[in-house]
Amino acid sequence: MAADWAGLPPDLLRSIADKLTLLIDYVRFRAVCSNWRSSAPTTPSRLPFQLPWLMLPHHHHHRRRRGFFSLAANKVYFLYLPETANRRRSRGSSLGWLLILDECPDILLLNPLTRAKLHLPPLSAFPNVVNFSFRDIGREYTVRARNGDIFSHNLAYMRDYFVKKVVLSSSPSNQNFIALAILNQTGDLAFCKKGDQSWKFIEDAQSYGEDAIYHNGLFYAVNKFGQIAVCDVHGESPRVSLIETPTQVGGDMQYLVSSSKGFLLVTRYLDFDLNDHQIDIVYKTAQFRVYKLDLSGPNWERVTSLDDEMLFLGENSSLALSALDFPGCKGNCIYYTDDYSESDYDGISGGHDLGVYNLEDGSIEPLPCYPRNFPSPPRWPPPIWITPNPC
């Protein structure tokens, strides 16, 4: 007698659904039949972080759709995302939400899976933007530097270069969240809470704008020298404490990652050279070095192996995952994309520096982000890691 899988009790089906850890498995579970679908909510509430997809740049064949490369499936999925088309720019991702800027002050958060949208305070609402007017063509924004100097910037400049990255404390869809913005050239940190109309600077954390993460109710930000500012922005005014580790000398970029090993500092080293035409300066990642925070010092201890863990770095919120949870992925590796901020200036050519760095032997393999017969999109803006998040 054949088993009646469709007739399993709802309580048992809910118990099975709650134990699923992969989003694709959850989707397949609900697709079995109407009984299984009704036993599990449309949006799962207990899924851990998923393996990031790589959001590819626009291609002229797919103007209103974006390609997302899945490492696990080794294929590209297309999602209808007209919000990222035309003159808009995607400036990073956090918790499965894209930050999208346009040639206007608007700052949009978009979940590409659910198409949920939410507006953050506009570019004109940052404390150092002293004036904005569409009438001043080519000089729409007036921005004050830390030393008091005043600069004028046009719409495209502010869209492309003002914000480096935004890190979210939680998903904007169902919680009171906080957004932390890292400003590109100054390294200032600014934040807003859900419902705010403007951004506020974290005054005691100037120049800690290399990278930031949110962990256990606090934002942790790192500077060029590996020193950390711990920022509590839940109260009336920000409170900042510093973890002053010995200065880390060398390296071109720093990342903070919360992993099973603790807090990690990842230093990225670049090689610069002239290209064949001797016009543009080009760069490539040469190596990464990983350190673990020892609070007893405090000090950074060199880590020579990540074991089964893999890191995902770039314009996304830095992420550590276990390769054991995702077949086909490599542990002890760093999956990185191009987010070198100076690539926007001084004739330095960027958009091409992405790959998989093996911490064991220092080798670098290309990311398999363009499967055979898939038309390679332009290299700028570079791809962005984004974690699929159904909520």
Side-chain angles (χ1 to χ4, degrees):
M1 182 177 177
D4 182 17
W5 296 107
L8 291 176
D11 289 346
L12 177 59
L13 290 172
R14 277 193 295 271
S15 178
I16 295 172
D18 287 343
K19 290 179 170 57
L20 297 176
T21 59
L22 299 180
L23 177 60
I24 187 63
D25 289 341
Y26 192 88
V27 172
R28 289 166 177 162
F29 177 92
R30 296 190 75 251
V32 170
C33 64
S34 60
N35 185 38
W36 287 39
R37 184 162 49 253
S38 63
S39 299
T42 303
T43 302
S45 59
R46 300 182 183 180
L47 288 181
F49 280 114
Q50 301 296 294
L51 186 69
W53 288 353
L54 194 65
M55 188 179 79
L56 306 177
H58 273 296
H59 193 275
H60 64 274
H61 292 318
H62 310 282
R63 292 188 180 276
R64 298 176 70 81
R65 297 191 300 159
R66 291 300 286 265
F68 291 80
F69 177 73
S70 166
L71 285 168
N74 193 34
K75 65 183 296 185
V76 174
Y77 300 102
F78 284 97
L79 298 180
Y80 178 70
L81 290 178
E83 296 85 357
T84 66
N86 300 324
R87 305 178 72 88
R88 301 180 184 96
R89 295 286 186 270
S90 303
R91 300 299 295 173
S93 71
S94 183
L95 300 180
W97 291 68
L98 288 170
L99 180 78
I100 298 175
L101 302 180
D102 200 349
E103 287 193 358
C104 68
D106 290 347
I107 300 179
L108 176 68
L109 286 175
L110 169 68
N111 186 323
L113 277 188
T114 65
R115 295 191 47 73
K117 303 173 189 177
L118 187 143
H119 284 275
L120 296 179
L123 288 172
S124 56
F126 278 89
N128 56 338
V129 178
V130 296
N131 189 53
F132 170 77
S133 174
F134 278 119
R135 295 184 217 175
D136 296 328
I137 299 175
R139 302 182 302 168
E140 290 85 357
Y141 289 89
T142 304
V143 180
R144 179 183 290 112
R146 280 288 180 180
N147 62 5
D149 291 344
I150 299 295
F151 297 92
S152 295
H153 297 306
N154 62 28
L155 300 174
Y157 180 95
M158 292 291 286
R159 175 198 65 190
D160 293 344
Y161 306 144
F162 188 71
V163 176
K164 175 181 178 181
K165 179 187 288 190
V166 167
V167 178
L168 301 176
S169 64
S170 59
S171 176
S173 61
N174 53 14
Q175 299 184 50
N176 291 324
F177 71 95
I178 304 172
L180 180 79
I182 302 175
L183 300 193
N184 216 343
Q185 292 172 299
T186 63
D188 284 313
L189 302 179
F191 73 98
C192 68
K193 300 177 182 179
K194 186 174 184 178
D196 283 352
Q197 301 301 308
S198 61
W199 296 86
K200 299 176 183 177
F201 276 148
I202 304 178
E203 296 291 348
D204 295 330
Q206 296 176 25
S207 76
Y208 284 82
E210 278 291 290
D211 194 19
I213 57 174
Y214 187 80
H215 180 74
N216 286 345
L218 300 169
F219 285 101
Y220 293 76
V222 66
N223 66 11
K224 278 280 188 184
F225 307 109
Q227 297 167 324
I228 296 177
V230 184
C231 307
D232 184 349
V233 296
H234 290 280
E236 290 294 323
S237 59
R239 293 185 298 170
V240 178
S241 59
L242 301 180
I243 302 177
E244 298 187 7
T245 59
T247 300
Q248 298 289 109
V249 179
D252 296 284
M253 304 168 71
Q254 306 278 17
Y255 302 88
L256 270 184
V257 190
S258 177
S259 80
S260 63
K261 299 179 181 297
F263 278 120
L264 300 180
L265 176 72
V266 183
T267 305
R268 185 170 177 173
Y269 295 79
L270 303 176
D271 276 343
F272 296 84
D273 205 349
L274 292 173
N275 66 11
D276 294 338
H277 302 289
Q278 302 294 301
I279 297 176
D280 294 333
I281 301 173
V282 296
Y283 61 85
K284 275 290 198 182
T285 293
Q287 67 168 314
F288 287 91
R289 293 181 183 175
V290 181
Y291 304 86
K292 176 184 174 182
L293 181 61
D294 176 11
L295 285 172
S296 64
N299 195 21
W300 291 111
E301 295 180 347
R302 182 75 179 272
V303 174
T304 57
S305 176
L306 295 169
D307 299 321
D308 65 293
E309 282 197 315
M310 49 188 177
L311 309 182
F312 292 86
L313 308 178
E315 285 189 329
N316 58 295
S317 294
S318 302
L319 180 65
L321 295 172
S322 172
L324 300 178
D325 296 330
F326 303 98
C329 294
K330 297 180 181 179
N332 202 27
C333 286
I334 299 172
Y335 292 75
Y336 64 93
T337 61
D338 194 341
D339 66 325
Y340 179 54
S341 61
E342 297 304 322
S343 61
D344 303 327
Y345 309 101
D346 301 328
I348 298 177
S349 181
H352 59 279
D353 185 29
L354 58 161
V356 183
Y357 182 84
N358 190 314
L359 199 62
E360 180 178 2
D361 57 15
S363 63
I364 296 177
E365 298 179 3
L367 278 169
C369 49
Y370 307 126
R372 184 175 298 177
N373 299 325
F374 181 80
S376 296
R379 70 181 189 179
W380 189 263
I384 300 171
W385 293 117
I386 179 167
T387 304
N389 183 1
C391 59

